[in-house]
Amino acid sequence: MIDKKQKIIIANWKMNPISFIEADNLISTIKKGLKKKEDMRIIICPPSIFISKIKKNKSFELGIQNIFWEDKGAYTGEISSKIAKNFGVDYAIIGHSERRKYFKETDEIVNVKMKSVLKNGLSPILCIGETLKEKNQDLASDVIITQLEKAFTDINKSKVLNIIVAYEPIWAIGSGIVPSTDEIMSAVLLIRKIISKLYDRPTAEKVSILYGGSVNSQNALDFVDKTRADGLLIGSVSLNGSEFVRIVNLFG
Ligand code: PGA
């Protein structure tokens, strides 16, 4: 179970880097630079082919960027959360906007993946967020509510504190354009309100909610300190080892 007081910083490497030598260098920089912090959780999500070579250690834990919802069987190309768990992976990103867009992952698929991940003892990192068009049409809250309610369908209260929710407005991902801290705070509060409605207030208060989208070492601190978010999900900047370390070391 995730301790609410811990800050969580997640590196989502996406489909990078292109060789294990580079991945290994990145890991070395991270290991060297990270100061040991009891009150923080650092989760690295490399391409899954690297995972067997990158062992979790005292500096960080491992997450997988995608899983299939069945445990095993004839599903060419897929990796199950059961297999990932057996490899020392403790987290799985689910519902990232790139998977929703390029792989047509629906809210229903997100929900079955959530259940599979929880059943196998991993923590889902559930990504939700609106497109620019939805934001401009004033639909951001509706999108957040729908994505969250569907993702949490039939998930028992006893599992909820294993879930990390990442609010990632799609227009902020990789764009260099970021929401104001007030906008992030509104989203964080809305997410807690919905979880409170689905379960109860104490549960909602304890769930870890992160912000993601064009995070860098200049904006990282404000995105946590001024928004009530519990941490960050970092994409492109996490591929720069020293920059990633700089961000982590801003906290704690
Ligand atoms: P970014 O990506 O930090 O490059 O904007 C964030 C994400 O997609 O999780």
Side-chain angles (χ1 to χ4, degrees):
M1 194 176 293
I2 290 154
D3 175 356
K4 163 71 178 64
K5 288 184 207 83
Q6 286 183 315
K7 295 268 184 297
I8 300 175
I9 309 271
I10 303 175
N12 175 12
W13 289 2
K14 308 191 181 183
M15 203 168 69
N16 302 290
I18 56 162
S19 71
F20 183 69
I21 294 175
E22 287 168 82
D24 203 31
N25 284 338
L26 193 45
I27 287 295
S28 300
T29 310
I30 293 170
K31 274 193 200 159
K32 255 186 248 149
L34 285 187
K35 297 181 197 133
K36 175 108 186 79
K37 293 194 171 93
E38 301 300 333
D39 57 345
M40 279 190 81
R41 218 164 244 249
I42 314 299
I43 303 162
I44 311 280
C45 304
S48 31
I49 201 162
F50 296 151
I51 282 181
S52 63
K53 289 188 138 196
I54 303 174
K55 292 279 172 239
K56 65 178 166 185
N57 58 47
K58 61 176 170 24
S59 309
F60 59 80
E61 297 173 279
L62 283 173
I64 192 162
Q65 295 175 18
N66 178 43
I67 54 96
F68 190 61
W69 57 82
E70 296 290 352
D71 284 350
K72 61 174 189 163
Y75 302 103
T76 302
E78 296 298 315
I79 296 174
S80 70
S81 41
K82 204 174 189 65
I83 294 174
K85 184 75 187 171
N86 287 337
F87 253 100
V89 172
D90 292 315
Y91 301 85
I93 299 177
I94 299 181
H96 192 281
S97 61
E98 287 149 17
R99 295 219 53 96
R100 294 181 193 256
K101 180 177 172 191
Y102 299 121
F103 303 96
K104 307 286 173 263
E105 289 192 1
T106 61
D107 288 326
E108 288 67 31
I109 292 175
V110 167
N111 179 243
V112 284
K113 288 186 171 192
M114 292 278 288
K115 289 180 195 153
S116 157
V117 161
L118 288 166
K119 184 188 79 180
N120 285 307
L122 285 85
S123 290
I125 300 161
L126 169 68
C127 299
I128 56 170
E130 78 285 356
T131 62
L132 186 58
K133 192 170 165 211
E134 288 159 345
K135 174 184 162 63
N136 290 339
Q137 292 173 339
D138 233 0
L139 293 172
S141 300
D142 293 349
V143 171
I144 292 172
I145 293 169
T146 306
Q147 289 183 343
L148 213 53
E149 284 182 348
K150 293 204 170 159
F152 277 76
T153 301
D154 296 330
I155 288 179
N156 192 281
K157 186 178 143 185
S158 64
K159 302 274 187 192
V160 173
L161 295 188
N162 290 319
I163 300 169
I164 298 170
V165 180
Y167 170 59
E168 297 209 300
I170 296 168
W171 48 274
I173 295 177
S175 65
I177 303 165
V178 292
S180 66
T181 48
D182 280 352
E183 284 176 309
I184 298 172
M185 181 151 72
S186 304
V188 170
L189 294 177
L190 175 63
I191 293 165
R192 280 207 207 288
K193 196 168 135 192
I194 301 157
I195 298 173
S196 172
K197 242 203 224 154
L198 295 174
Y199 300 92
D200 56 44
R201 184 123 182 250
T203 304
E205 289 301 325
K206 285 188 205 129
V207 171
S208 295
I209 303 173
L210 316 186
Y211 167 75
S214 294
V215 173
N216 58 41
S217 60
Q218 264 81 56
N219 57 27
L221 204 53
D222 278 356
F223 283 167
V224 174
D225 283 358
K226 297 188 178 165
T227 68
R228 303 211 201 158
D230 301 299
L232 301 164
L233 176 47
I234 307 173
S236 35
V237 167
S238 72
L239 294 167
N240 178 332
S242 44
E243 190 67 355
F244 181 70
V245 164
R246 194 166 301 134
I247 294 175
V248 172
N249 288 339
L250 289 172
F251 298 93

